[in-house]
Amino acid sequence: MEEIHVYRELLERAAEASLEAEEARVLARMAVEDPEPAMAAAGRVRDRAYGPRISYSRKVFIPLTRLCRDNCGYCTFAHPPRKGERAYLTPEEVLEIARDGAEAGCKEALFTLGDKPEKRYPEARRELREMGFETTVEYLAHCCGLVAEETGLLPHANPGVLSEEDVRLLRGVAVSQGIMLEEVSGRLLGRGMAHWASPDKVPERRLETLEAAGRLAVPFTTGLLVGIGESPEERAETLLAIREVHERYGHIQECIVQNFRAKPGTRMQDAPEPSEKEMLAAIALARLILPPEVTVQAPPNLADDEAGYLRYIDAGINDWGGVSPVTPDHVNPERPWPHLEELERATGSKGYLLLERLAVHPRYALEAERWVDEALRPKVLAGMDAEGFARVESWAPGKDEPVPERTLEEMRGRRPSRMRPEFVAALAGAGERDLDEEEIALLFTARGRELAELCRVADELRREVNGDVVTYVVNRNINYTNQCYFRCRFCAFSKGPKSLNLRGEPYLMDPEEVARRAREAWERGATEVTMVGGIHGRFTGQNYLDYLRAVKDEVPGMHVHAFTPLEVWQGAHTLGISVDEFLVRLKEAGLATLPGTAAEILDDEIRRIICPDKINTAQWAEVMRKAHAIGLRSTSTIMFGHVDGPVNWARHLLVLREIQAETGGFTEFIPLPFVHMATPLFLQGRSRRGPTFAETVKMHAVGRIALHGYIDNVQVSWVKLGVEGAKACLEAGCNDLGGTLMNESISRSAGASHGQEMLPEEMERMIREIGRIPRQRNTLYGEPERHVKAS
């Protein structure tokens, strides 16, 4: 009874704080005898840190060389030189393997190789010299660089013991590195034991490699090998050593808990393999000793069967490691990978989603400025989603591609998984209370069943507020100039003196041309013109007043929806008057409402990156408050999916909610997904490829929920999402399709290909196809005052 009490106390401490060394050793011994309590505690720790998610990396394995100067008693990967066989793969062979992997959808190239074979074999030294290299690590760096440049795969280097200079060299060409610590006692270096005659298995040398990687901020993989002769207490000591180095540098992204498999032809071919209890205890121990942010991984192919590797989930893993659809596990070729479909189904049977990640884990991908070399950073950003997981779809806003079927399945509840208690609690508050920043950010991380529930709740709120009516307005966009002296990095529309070679020639419309286009729109049935453009270097506030008067003189009945808060701010400044006074002059000249663009992300942390010379959050909000105060209502927008994420999105929504609570002046909320293709931010390698489709759906759904009771209308941009994308968002809280546009050039300039106009009959057909009721509206969501048929 006393031992059970001690065991329980240790588990409680492990779940809440770091165990002391002696406590960890005692826990290791107890867990081997009875792993179930430790597994339950480890599972709770894992669920708190990662939720119902198990990740993996879709990778291709590149065995650069099988020569090694060590003589590990369990290894069949390494062998001495063989007659007629090269010591190293050639660059061409490396690229052929990598290209096969890229074609199969892999994101990672894992280089496996022996440790410093040139120190043992003259054949290795000779071949390296013939290729122009002194060391295996130099050649590895060359091949990593080739693979990254030629195939886009992200290299992970696993070459054994490294000096600090080696680590630095590889950091420039590999997004992550690794070495299995295996064990730290040194006892297994003895004659006849697992690491006998293996100079690179000296624990101190391997720990020095971990230290060097930490000093150089390299996301690092390490782990222990279970069952090679170590005791349970020595496993604890190995994990404590990993914890200690991670606490100094924060760079251990994953710890692999790998079970020894006896192989014919090795010194340890008759050694007993670890029992299932030992393996489960070791996984649980890793989860309980290591900090929660360190991923715990166990290879599924080394378990006896599916039931065996599913027990690893019970024991606390949150990652399966690398799984290849192309190459075998070269270290354990007799153990084939489970098919990814099988692995996904099996993982789902436990209530967990299988999520693909990059070679660099999400936490490190999200902080790529610190953890990834500048040369590799664009590839990481382009390959990840807003949570740092792998982007697994080619779809992007503005691209003419089918909507990802996987997201539609998740939205419709066909990919079930557990829901996090905190997510359930946040969603339960929808419509009942104002959600806080943390809760809103949490909703943006919905996947699997959570995404289905998010969309269901958002659509219920939409039905409660708007019924089954979907509205649209017949309007025309007039972008009067694409010349701009602001340097917004997300913009491919504006042309300035230092513009990149983007779409279109610089132009500037005079007031007469703007008026002509307004007349043309009126004659085609439009009730609104939307006027926005670049900030031309010669513009003052008078230019905006001239445009307004020209339109109102030509078409007195036209509703003019024009000028972002940036244009208002700049116009007031150039005339030397207050924002209040300029807004009054604009209203007197015919301005009816303002577009809520120039908002991008209302979080100055992000604005400093994407639009550093633009108005800040407080200035944007000031213009909106003052406009609303004199009866000028406006839309509200968010432009998302570049360098932002759930927390920034939550802050943005809270800014809108606060303004709306004070003024009631916003007519609608319009998510605008970042169209990346031709933008400076993306072309310079500084952004993601826009939001994923799931993130786009979530923005509409969370917007509906977070702004419920404040902003009644949520609009979807068909220009950026296409017809099928817009339909999906209409099932996730949206009630408005926006305008017919007639001309739209801002999204087109960035690379969008969904067209510049949608006729009213096309909109109505699309709305009826999803069982909803179409209704034409005016800008303020009332009945149009004129009944000219739009064409």
Side-chain angles (χ1 to χ4, degrees):
M1 286 296 293
E2 179 63 28
E3 190 167 285
I4 293 174
H5 179 70
V6 171
Y7 194 5
R8 188 180 301 120
E9 280 194 344
L10 287 174
L11 291 175
E12 288 174 1
R13 276 185 47 74
E16 301 301 330
S18 294
L19 291 174
E20 300 294 336
E22 183 53 36
E23 292 174 322
R25 285 189 284 268
V26 172
L27 180 59
R29 191 166 56 246
M30 290 180 164
V32 168
E33 295 300 319
D34 180 10
E36 295 294 336
M39 291 165 62
R44 289 192 294 272
V45 171
R46 182 268 322 283
D47 287 347
R48 278 203 308 268
Y50 299 94
R53 302 170 172 186
I54 306 291
S55 55
Y56 80 102
S57 175
R58 188 185 290 243
K59 66 178 68 172
V60 60
F61 288 73
I62 302 177
L64 191 65
T65 179
R66 291 176 176 272
L67 305 186
C68 182
R69 72 166 175 171
D70 295 323
N71 292 282
C72 299
Y74 45 78
C75 181
T76 55
F77 173 77
H79 58 67
R82 292 172 178 170
K83 189 173 182 180
E85 188 175 298
R86 288 183 58 85
Y88 297 88
L89 293 179
T90 65
E92 293 73 23
E93 290 170 327
V94 167
L95 285 172
E96 183 180 359
I97 295 169
R99 288 185 180 118
D100 286 346
E103 269 188 41
C106 296
K107 313 294 190 301
E108 174 183 349
L110 170 60
F111 283 85
T112 53
L113 58 155
D115 208 319
K116 298 178 180 57
E118 71 274 16
K119 291 185 176 293
R120 180 175 180 182
Y121 298 114
E123 294 90 337
R125 292 194 293 273
R126 182 175 61 251
E127 203 166 294
L128 285 171
R129 282 197 300 270
E130 288 170 358
M131 293 189 293
F133 302 97
E134 288 296 317
T135 67
T136 298
V137 170
E138 286 180 10
Y139 182 52
L140 169 63
H142 173 73
C143 289
C144 285
L146 277 179
V147 165
E149 187 62 32
E150 297 290 328
T151 71
L153 296 179
L154 298 175
H156 170 85
N158 195 26
V161 169
L162 297 170
S163 68
E164 188 157 331
E165 283 307 306
D166 291 335
V167 173
R168 182 177 286 108
L169 175 65
L170 290 171
R171 191 184 193 276
V173 291
V175 295
S176 55
Q177 299 175 42
I179 186 173
M180 289 288 281
L181 187 52
E182 297 192 8
E183 60 88 27
V184 293
S185 74
R187 186 173 56 81
L188 302 187
L189 291 164
R191 178 173 289 277
M193 300 197 77
H195 292 155
W196 175 65
S198 300
D200 297 300
K201 292 302 171 85
V202 174
E204 290 76 14
R205 299 195 67 200
R206 297 175 93 73
L207 282 169
E208 286 169 7
T209 300
L210 267 67
E211 292 275 349
R215 288 191 293 272
L216 294 173
V218 173
F220 209 77
T221 296
T222 189
L224 64 159
L225 190 53
V226 178
I228 55 173
E230 81 292 352
S231 67
E233 291 85 353
E234 287 169 335
R235 291 173 200 152
E237 288 162 5
T238 301
L239 292 166
L240 289 167
I242 294 169
R243 185 180 78 183
E244 184 181 344
V245 71
H246 176 77
E247 286 174 344
R248 277 198 291 278
Y249 304 107
H251 68 304
I252 304 298
Q253 62 173 1
E254 62 184 342
C255 176
I256 303 171
V257 182
Q258 182 172 327
N259 48 317
F260 158 73
R261 282 291 191 175
K263 295 178 173 52
T266 64
R267 288 201 311 275
M268 296 180 67
Q269 63 180 0
D270 297 322
E273 295 179 345
S275 66
E276 182 181 65
K277 283 175 63 174
E278 283 184 285
M279 187 61 180
L280 296 174
I283 292 171
L285 192 67
R287 181 66 286 154
L288 293 169
I289 288 178
L290 296 171
E293 70 270 14
V294 176
T295 283
V296 173
Q297 172 198 130
N301 62 312
L302 298 187
D304 285 331
D305 50 28
E306 181 180 304
Y309 70 69
L310 284 182
R311 290 283 281 158
Y312 295 171
I313 296 178
D314 299 335
I317 67 154
N318 65 288
D319 191 83
W320 291 122
V323 179
S324 180
V326 179
T327 51
D329 178 352
H330 292 291
V331 178
N332 300 281
E334 75 285 0
R335 310 292 305 184
W337 303 111
H339 290 296
L340 287 170
E341 294 79 5
E342 172 198 323
L343 190 63
E344 183 170 28
R345 178 197 54 74
T347 303
S349 73
K350 285 283 189 178
Y352 290 80
L353 275 175
L354 185 67
L355 294 184
E356 188 178 345
R357 60 167 173 83
L358 303 175
V360 58
H361 281 249
R363 177 168 171 261
Y364 299 88
L366 290 171
E367 297 181 31
E369 288 280 337
R370 175 184 177 190
W371 294 104
V372 179
D373 186 81
E374 185 178 3
L376 294 166
R377 221 171 282 153
K379 292 180 172 60
V380 171
L381 291 172
M384 66 185 247
D385 66 17
E387 290 186 77
F389 287 98
R391 189 186 185 98
V392 295
E393 60 195 39
S394 59
W395 182 93
K399 290 181 73 173
D400 190 14
E401 292 207 9
V403 169
E405 190 63 34
R406 182 186 182 97
T407 299
L408 295 178
E409 288 179 1
E410 284 193 38
M411 287 176 64
R412 291 159 190 173
R414 296 176 197 152
R415 304 184 75 83
S417 58
R418 296 180 189 175
M419 294 201 293
R420 295 164 288 179
E422 62 271 27
F423 182 91
V424 173
L427 200 57
E432 302 297 324
R433 59 181 173 80
D434 289 347
L435 302 184
D436 62 25
E437 179 184 304
E438 185 177 352
E439 290 173 311
I440 296 170
L442 181 66
L443 294 183
F444 279 119
T445 65
R447 297 179 190 250
R449 184 181 168 197
E450 290 180 349
L451 179 58
E453 283 298 296
L454 179 76
C455 293
R456 182 188 64 77
V457 170
D459 214 41
E460 284 182 359
L461 293 177
R462 183 269 309 161
R463 188 174 293 108
E464 176 186 318
V465 175
N466 309 104
D468 284 331
V469 170
V470 176
T471 51
Y472 68 93
V473 63
V474 178
N475 69 345
R476 180 174 195 169
N477 263 28
I478 303 176
N479 306 125
Y480 41 77
T481 184
N482 65 351
Q483 298 179 65
C484 188
Y485 64 83
F486 284 87
R487 297 183 299 278
C488 299
R489 292 169 180 148
F490 57 82
C491 182
F493 170 71
S494 69
K495 304 293 179 287
K498 296 182 180 178
S499 290
L500 298 178
N501 184 23
L502 303 177
R503 290 186 179 190
E505 295 297 320
Y507 70 84
L508 172 63
M509 296 181 194
D510 57 30
E512 291 73 21
E513 174 60 16
V514 170
R516 186 194 68 76
R517 293 188 179 210
R519 163 62 63 184
E520 186 177 71
W522 180 261
E523 290 172 353
R524 291 186 59 192
T527 59
E528 170 198 307
V529 289
T530 299
M531 299 196 305
V532 293
I535 312 293
H536 194 284
R538 296 195 304 271
F539 270 18
T540 70
Q542 189 60 46
N543 293 89
Y544 306 124
L545 293 167
D546 290 346
Y547 282 134
L548 280 171
R549 289 181 180 126
V551 169
K552 295 301 285 186
D553 287 347
E554 180 70 24
V555 195
M558 182 70 83
H559 181 111
V560 182
H561 178 69
F563 312 133
T564 70
L566 175 62
E567 289 163 296
V568 172
W569 192 274
Q570 185 262 358
H573 175 74
T574 55
L575 292 179
I577 61 177
S578 68
V579 167
D580 308 67
E581 184 178 347
F582 186 52
L583 283 165
V584 169
R585 291 190 190 181
L586 291 170
K587 186 177 181 183
E588 290 172 347
L591 181 65
T593 53
L594 280 75
T597 45
E600 285 74 59
I601 298 294
L602 295 173
D603 182 346
D604 289 331
E605 175 187 328
I606 300 300
R607 297 182 78 79
R608 281 190 288 271
I609 299 170
I610 67 171
C611 51
D613 60 345
K614 209 168 189 176
I615 55 174
N616 61 30
T617 298
Q619 292 166 332
W620 188 93
E622 180 186 342
V623 172
M624 284 305 190
R625 285 187 172 95
K626 289 180 174 179
H628 296 172
I630 64 167
L632 288 171
R633 300 190 72 189
S634 70
T635 62
S636 64
T637 67
I638 184 171
M639 194 273 292
F640 64 103
H642 32 81
V643 298
D644 48 351
V647 170
N648 313 112
W649 302 338
R651 291 172 183 166
H652 182 105
L653 292 176
L654 290 177
V655 171
L656 298 183
R657 193 173 77 189
E658 182 182 338
I659 295 171
Q660 186 73 342
E662 294 174 21
T663 71
F666 290 132
T667 54
E668 67 227 69
F669 172 60
I670 313 170
L672 300 172
F674 174 54
V675 178
H676 73 284
M677 285 77 85
T679 62
L681 197 65
F682 178 74
L683 295 175
Q684 292 164 4
R686 302 178 64 180
S687 80
R688 301 194 302 279
R689 293 189 289 122
T692 65
F693 186 67
E695 289 163 358
T696 302
V697 170
K698 284 186 277 191
M699 181 59 72
H700 293 79
V702 177
R704 168 64 69 182
I705 290 167
L707 299 172
H708 180 67
Y710 294 90
I711 299 176
D712 287 343
N713 301 297
V714 179
Q715 182 185 122
V716 58
S717 171
W718 61 265
V719 173
K720 297 179 189 296
L721 299 187
V723 169
E724 294 306 314
K727 283 181 180 178
C729 289
L730 287 172
E731 297 176 13
C734 292
N735 68 293
D736 188 74
L737 269 180
T740 55
L741 297 183
M742 297 188 193
N743 296 90
E744 196 286 333
S745 51
I746 294 176
S747 296
R748 297 280 294 179
S749 296
S753 55
H754 290 303
Q756 294 178 283
E757 179 175 10
M758 185 181 290
L759 297 175
E761 52 265 36
E762 293 176 299
M763 283 196 168
E764 296 200 358
R765 182 169 58 250
M766 178 177 120
I767 292 164
R768 289 192 178 97
E769 282 173 355
I770 61 167
R772 304 271 279 282
I773 303 164
R775 180 174 70 80
Q776 185 180 339
R777 62 169 174 86
N778 64 19
T779 308
L780 296 174
Y781 284 80
E783 291 292 327
E785 294 176 5
R786 58 195 299 259
H787 299 283
V788 176
K789 180 174 175 60
S791 62

